[in-house]
Amino acid sequence: MSKKIKHKTKKSFGKRVKISSKKKIIRKHSNRSHLAHNKSTKQKRHLRKDSVFNKSALKPLKYAL
């Protein structure tokens, strides 16, 4: 009987995300720092919150974690 292959974590991706207790992958929003003075305060405030990857974006990242 063959064993299941364990994949190594893609280190660059692993440093950018966290896995929640419900096994969802949490990431930070982009567009926070560069040219921030052009963005409204409301936009920057909403970008502070973490975001969850949707299911369609998870498929190519299956073996990254």
Side-chain angles (χ1 to χ4, degrees), residues 3-56:
K3 294 182 180 180
K4 186 177 178 182
I5 297 170
K6 290 177 95 175
H7 292 275
K8 287 187 176 182
T9 301
K10 299 286 185 193
K11 290 297 184 179
S12 59
F13 183 67
K15 291 173 188 176
R16 289 172 172 82
V17 298
K18 289 189 296 187
I19 300 178
S20 69
S21 59
K22 306 262 185 199
K23 304 298 182 194
K24 293 181 180 179
I25 300 179
I26 300 169
R27 64 176 175 85
K28 297 279 187 188
H29 279 109
S30 57
N31 303 319
R32 260 308 284 295
S33 58
H34 187 60
L35 300 175
H37 62 91
N38 293 331
K39 298 174 178 71
S40 67
T41 308
K42 181 179 179 180
Q43 185 180 2
K44 289 184 280 191
R45 185 172 63 245
H46 286 300
L47 291 173
R48 264 186 241 144
K49 296 180 180 178
D50 291 342
S51 180
V52 178
F53 275 100
N54 57 3
K55 289 186 179 181
S56 63

